[in-house]
């Protein structure tokens, strides 16, 4: 196999991964890393490194669009980034200490979680939260354009547990090379009671900074391979742009459920791989 | 836009940050495409094995050596520059936010943003 052919095959696989990631709302990394590991036989450390960079790219692109539309909350993002960047460094550090098999098993477990969260994803419901003191001090509030352009005001509650979960989300992102957007959304939407639209778009903004913190460590370790990362990044970006274009015309609920089932199979594969195929 | 006075400058802030993110994404993508084209042009027909990917030689893992190699149009180094620019984009976003919070005299968030920036700089430059 030549380098040109390798680039072409990898590029098209990553277009598909980026497309599915955008359509299901799970992001590229969750699909990308198993594809690189299971289909291409790539070491999970390098797969995670390439994935992290592509996660920064898709996050930057999507975050720019959401900021323009006035959905993301910059203060909420910045405050919670304190937790995600610290977590990301711990995760990236751990990834250098753990061997590929352990990381594979952990990845499988996170995939199972992702599959369930994709399958049971709910529509926007407002959570009644009591505004705590920390939320007032930190001005974790805002308003976003609802249906018809009317601004809807909101505020955050339960800041401390949300912050703690963000640390975990950051660590998983750094360890596995994924954006861990699902867990970030969980922290903001379910725990802190922020509107789903605000949670998902603010999560997108945070993913880039989180991944930047851990990829610094991957770079230093030499785990980011240019040969692998170039087609991966370009493919995922192309795929997610295409995904964002066709998203409004699709019934994503059905798509998400089918995808969740596929994800479960992939999760089992990753776990089996982690045990050296001896399950 | 029906935003009130206090919302107006914050909206401006979001547009500025959005612009920065877009520019970062476009510039780094262009550099990666150039590096990829260079690589295919130079070594496109070289055989490769998927399982042989063992990361960058550590000579290409620090910024000064990458820049030096990229200036000689080393394809891998040009790609690495593009990847580094991509990593730099969110860091630039945090830096820009720091300036914008400072302009708005939101000192609490100047402090929080400064702390995030410090963590990021430590992550990228520190020895771990």
């Amino acid at each position: 196999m030549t380098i040109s052919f390798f680039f072409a095959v990898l590029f098209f696989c990553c277009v598909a991964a980026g497309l599915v990631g955008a359509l299901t709302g799970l992001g590229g990394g969750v699909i990308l890393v198993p594809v690189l590991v299971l289909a291409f036989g790539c070491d999970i450390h390098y797969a995670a490194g390439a994935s992290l960079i592509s996660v920064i790219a898709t996050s930057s692109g999507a975050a720019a669009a959401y900021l323009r539309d006035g959905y993301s909350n910059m203060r909420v993002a910045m405050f919670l980034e304190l937790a995600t960047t610290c977590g990301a460094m711990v995760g990236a550090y751990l990834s250098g200490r753990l061997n590929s098999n352990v990381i594979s098993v952990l990845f499988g477990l996170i995939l199972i979680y992702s599959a369930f969260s994709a399958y049971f994803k709910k529509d926007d419901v407002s959570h009644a939260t009591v505004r705590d003191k920390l939320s007032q001090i930190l001005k974790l509030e805002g308003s976003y354009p609802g249906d018809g352009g009317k601004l809807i005001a909101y505020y955050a509650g339960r800041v401390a547990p949300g912050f703690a979960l963000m640390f975990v989300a950051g660590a998983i992102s750094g360890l596995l090379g994924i954006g861990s957007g699902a867990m970030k959304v969980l922290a903001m939407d379910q725990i802190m009671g922020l509107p789903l639209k605000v949670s998902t778009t603010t999560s997108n903004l945070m993913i880039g900074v989180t991944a930047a913190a851990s990829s610094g460590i991957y770079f230093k370790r030499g785990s980011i391979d240019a040969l692998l990362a170039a087609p991966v990044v370009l493919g995922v970006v192309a795929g997610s742009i295409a995904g964002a274009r066709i998203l409004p015309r699709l019934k994503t609920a059905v798509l998400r459920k089918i995808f969740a089932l596929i994800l479960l199979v992939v999760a089992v594969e990753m776990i089996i791989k982690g045990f050296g195929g001896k399950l | 836009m029906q935003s009130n006075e206090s919302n107006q400058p914050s909206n401006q802030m979001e547009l500025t940050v959005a612009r920065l993110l877009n520019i970062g994404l476009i510039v780094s993508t262009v550099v990666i495409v150039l590096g990829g084209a260079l690589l295919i042009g130079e070594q496109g027909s070289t055989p490769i094995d998927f399982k042989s990917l063992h990361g960058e030689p550590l000579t290409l893992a620090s910024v000064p050596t990458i820049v030096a190699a990229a200036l000689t149009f080393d394809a891998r180094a040009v790609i690495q520059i593009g990847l580094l620019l991509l990593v730099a984009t969110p860091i630039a976003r945090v830096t820009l936010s720091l300036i914008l919070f400072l302009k708005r005299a939101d000192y609490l968030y100047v402090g929080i943003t400064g702390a995030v920036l410090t963590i990021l700089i430590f992550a990228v430059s520190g020895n771990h």
Side-chain angles (χ1 to χ4, degrees):
Chain A
M1 184 175 300
T2 64
I3 287 185
S4 304
F5 186 68
F6 171 76
F7 261 45
V9 171
L10 204 52
F11 177 80
F12 285 110
C13 284
C14 293
V15 170
L19 190 66
V20 175
L23 293 180
T24 54
L26 276 165
V30 166
I31 306 134
L32 185 62
V33 175
V35 167
L36 292 178
V37 170
L38 297 172
F40 289 86
C42 177
D43 184 285
I44 196 163
H45 291 98
Y46 300 114
S51 170
L52 266 179
I53 306 281
S54 73
V55 158
I56 299 178
T58 51
S59 148
S60 297
Y66 292 138
L67 276 169
R68 249 183 269 114
D69 296 341
Y71 291 119
S72 325
N73 188 316
M74 300 242 318
R75 273 197 303 263
V76 171
M78 195 60 76
F79 171 66
L80 294 174
E81 275 159 11
L82 280 175
T84 62
T85 50
C86 287
M89 286 187 66
V90 171
Y93 175 82
L94 277 178
S95 110
R97 290 282 172 280
L98 296 174
N99 78 33
S100 306
N101 292 342
V102 177
I103 301 178
S104 267
V105 173
L106 288 173
F107 204 108
L109 297 176
I110 292 296
L111 279 179
I112 292 174
Y113 166 76
S114 300
F116 276 98
S117 78
Y119 195 89
F120 296 107
K121 193 169 181 176
K122 291 185 301 289
D123 291 325
D124 203 350
V125 280
S126 57
H127 305 281
T129 34
V130 182
R131 188 158 194 197
D132 56 23
K133 193 132 196 189
L134 213 48
S135 164
Q136 278 168 11
I137 297 170
L138 293 164
K139 291 175 280 186
L140 299 179
E141 68 210 1
S143 54
Y144 71 105
D147 296 331
K150 197 164 69 81
L151 285 178
I152 303 167
Y154 62 86
Y155 56 81
R158 285 186 289 205
V159 175
F163 191 82
L165 191 57
M166 281 296 177
F167 178 86
V168 178
I172 289 171
S173 165
L175 179 59
L176 305 179
I178 59 177
S180 69
M183 191 170 280
K184 290 189 173 86
V185 172
L186 179 82
M188 283 187 275
D189 165 59
Q190 300 288 319
I191 295 182
M192 299 172 72
L194 291 167
L196 191 61
K197 194 100 200 180
V198 174
S199 303
T200 49
T201 54
T202 304
S203 143
N204 229 306
L205 189 60
M206 297 170 57
I207 284 171
V209 169
T210 311
S214 38
S215 61
I217 295 170
Y218 276 73
F219 253 114
K220 287 250 147 193
R221 219 168 37 220
S223 300
I224 292 178
D225 191 299
L227 217 58
L228 185 65
V232 166
V233 170
L234 298 177
V236 171
V237 168
S240 49
I241 291 172
R245 286 271 160 83
I246 55 176
L247 187 60
R249 280 178 267 148
L250 280 179
K251 285 202 174 92
T252 50
V254 182
L255 197 76
R256 220 165 40 219
K257 290 203 168 159
I258 296 169
F259 180 70
L261 297 174
I262 298 171
L263 221 50
L264 269 184
V265 177
V266 176
V268 173
E269 293 271 335
M270 287 296 279
I271 292 171
I272 291 175
K273 180 165 177 87
F275 282 98
K278 287 192 285 282
L279 263 190
Chain B
M1 264 289 150
Q2 314 169 346
S3 34
N4 54 34
E5 288 147 274
S6 72
N7 226 326
Q8 205 55 51
S10 80
N11 195 300
Q12 202 53 51
M13 175 167 174
E14 272 129 27
L15 292 180
T16 314
V17 171
R19 206 168 298 135
L20 175 83
L21 288 174
N22 261 334
I23 293 170
L25 180 60
I26 291 167
V27 170
S28 41
T29 309
V30 167
V31 175
I32 296 170
V33 168
L34 284 177
L38 213 56
L39 191 79
I40 288 177
E42 281 171 2
Q43 325 163 23
S45 49
T46 312
I48 184 183
D49 179 13
F50 288 134
K51 293 181 177 70
S52 73
L53 288 173
H54 288 303
E56 281 309 308
L58 283 175
T59 48
L60 274 188
S62 84
V63 177
T65 49
I66 293 173
V67 174
L71 289 176
T72 65
F73 290 101
D74 179 283
R76 271 178 174 257
V78 173
I79 294 173
Q80 290 287 62
I81 294 271
L83 301 177
L84 282 173
L85 285 173
L86 215 42
V87 175
T89 300
I91 303 176
R93 182 213 112 196
V94 174
T95 312
L96 177 66
S97 308
L98 184 76
I99 297 167
L100 295 173
F101 280 127
L102 206 58
K103 266 190 180 166
R104 285 164 61 184
D106 191 341
Y107 296 115
L108 176 64
Y109 274 86
V110 170
I112 291 172
T113 311
V116 172
L117 193 58
T118 310
I119 296 166
L120 283 173
I121 290 170
F122 177 72
V124 175
S125 65
N127 281 317
H128 311 283

